[in-house]
Amino acid sequence: GRATGHAQGADPAAGGYAGWPQGGYAGQAPVPVVPSPAAPGPCYELGPILIRGDRVITPNGTIPLSQAQFSFQDMSQTVKSTPTWAIVLAIVLVWLLLLSLLLLIVQEERTTGQVVISVVGGEGAFTMTVPVTSRAQVGVWAQQVQYAQMIAARARG
């Protein structure tokens, strides 16, 4: 027999799971995938938060889109420092070339922390914490939350 269960990378809309044989057991015809009717209105995903039609669907429940308020909080910090390799090279090469001291002005940026994304409205609320490792990631999440807030503002009229 064939192993059963869910494979990572599942794509039910494509009719199955990536890398798994389609259909059932040997000789059984594949089961047709019937797409569900699309909800009218916007369709947007923000991690596990889905905007479908006039609803915001979260793991905690559904919130009416017209009542949804999205918020974004940046809890990350970025530190600039001279990398270890530049310090070591400057020390080793200082006797050969005084210009090697210029290596000490090399800076690297390291971002650590997380961003917190929340949606509240009606009687529902959901908050998620997303770890980030670069300023670019922080910017992408901020833009996505801003776009979701714009969709909710349009629904309010």
Side-chain angles (χ1 to χ4, degrees):
R2 185 180 102 190
T4 60
H6 295 289
Q8 202 167 27
D11 186 8
Y17 299 97
W20 286 59
Q22 299 303 305
Y25 295 97
Q28 182 181 359
V31 177
V33 175
V34 180
S36 60
C43 183
Y44 187 66
E45 292 184 22
L46 182 63
I49 301 169
L50 307 174
I51 298 176
R52 296 288 185 266
D54 61 351
R55 307 176 288 157
V56 178
I57 304 165
T58 74
N60 291 350
T62 301
I63 299 170
L65 181 59
S66 62
Q67 296 176 17
Q69 291 289 327
F70 291 86
S71 66
F72 174 83
Q73 190 175 12
D74 181 2
M75 307 281 291
S76 68
Q77 61 181 11
T78 301
V79 177
K80 288 185 178 185
S81 63
T82 303
T84 305
W85 63 265
I87 294 171
V88 170
L89 274 178
I91 292 170
V92 169
L93 298 177
V94 73
W95 304 112
L96 300 175
L97 194 59
L98 288 177
L99 289 176
S100 68
L101 293 177
L102 290 176
L103 287 171
L104 295 176
I105 65 171
V106 173
Q107 295 285 299
E108 75 178 0
E109 226 177 56
R110 188 177 349 162
T111 300
T112 58
Q114 62 265 346
V115 296
V116 178
I117 299 166
S118 299
V119 58
V120 297
E123 294 182 20
F126 176 73
T127 299
M128 68 179 183
T129 301
V130 181
V132 291
T133 57
S134 72
R135 296 303 309 158
Q137 286 179 332
V138 172
V140 167
W141 281 107
Q143 286 178 335
Q144 290 181 343
V145 171
Q146 184 178 16
Y147 185 71
Q149 184 63 29
M150 184 185 71
I151 293 171
R154 285 185 184 164
R156 286 187 285 278

